[in-house]
Amino acid sequence: MDVTRIAAAKKYDAAKHWDMTALRLQGLEASPTKKVTLGLSYFLPGGGAEKSSSPLERVYVVVDGEVTVTVGGKDTILGPLDSCHIPPGEERAIVNKTNKVATMLVVMPAPEK
C-alpha cells in the first residue's frame, strides 16, 4: 500500500486555471499508481478553469462547496458529492460563482509515456 498524506501532497500547475490550487494525491509524481491520477482542487471564490478540452477523459467529484461546469453553452451546478464525466475532446469551463471555497477531486487516466 502507498499512502499520500494530505500534509505531504505536492502542488502541481493546472494549465488554464486561475485562483485555484491543485494537489496531487495519487499517480504521476505522487505514487506508483499507473492507470489513473487523482488530484484535489481548491477553487477560491471566482476561481475557475478556461474553456478547453483534453484528449483524456475526466471525472470531477465536488467534495465541498459548489462549482459551475459549462459544456456546450449549458451551465450545470455541482454541489457536495455531485460528480460528472467529461469525455475526451469535450470542451468545458469551470467557475466557482460562490463566496465559499470549492473543493473538488479530479480523476483522470494517467498519460501514456
Side-chain angles (χ1 to χ4, degrees):
M1 180 169 68
D2 191 88
V3 176
T4 301
R5 304 276 180 209
I6 191 65
K10 303 287 189 230
K11 290 181 184 179
Y12 68 93
D13 181 45
K16 301 180 182 180
H17 288 62
W18 70 92
D19 290 340
M20 188 276 285
T21 297
L23 301 174
R24 181 87 60 219
L25 301 180
Q26 291 294 322
L28 299 174
E29 71 282 355
S31 74
T33 302
K34 302 285 186 228
K35 301 284 185 187
V36 298
T37 65
L38 176 63
L40 179 65
S41 300
Y42 294 110
F43 289 92
L44 294 176
E50 292 178 24
K51 180 178 169 183
S52 65
S53 65
S54 169
L56 302 174
E57 66 181 339
R58 294 167 277 183
V59 172
Y60 300 147
V61 181
V62 174
V63 177
D64 191 36
E66 180 178 290
V67 296
T68 300
V69 180
T70 304
V71 172
K74 180 181 177 209
D75 291 347
T76 301
I77 297 171
L78 300 178
L81 300 181
D82 290 341
S83 63
C84 71
H85 171 258
I86 307 291
E90 185 169 77
E91 287 191 323
R92 63 81 185 109
I94 302 169
V95 67
N96 176 1
K97 296 182 179 181
T98 75
N99 286 331
K100 182 180 175 187
V101 173
T103 305
M104 185 170 79
L105 293 170
V106 179
V107 183
M108 295 177 61
E112 293 189 25
K113 295 178 183 181

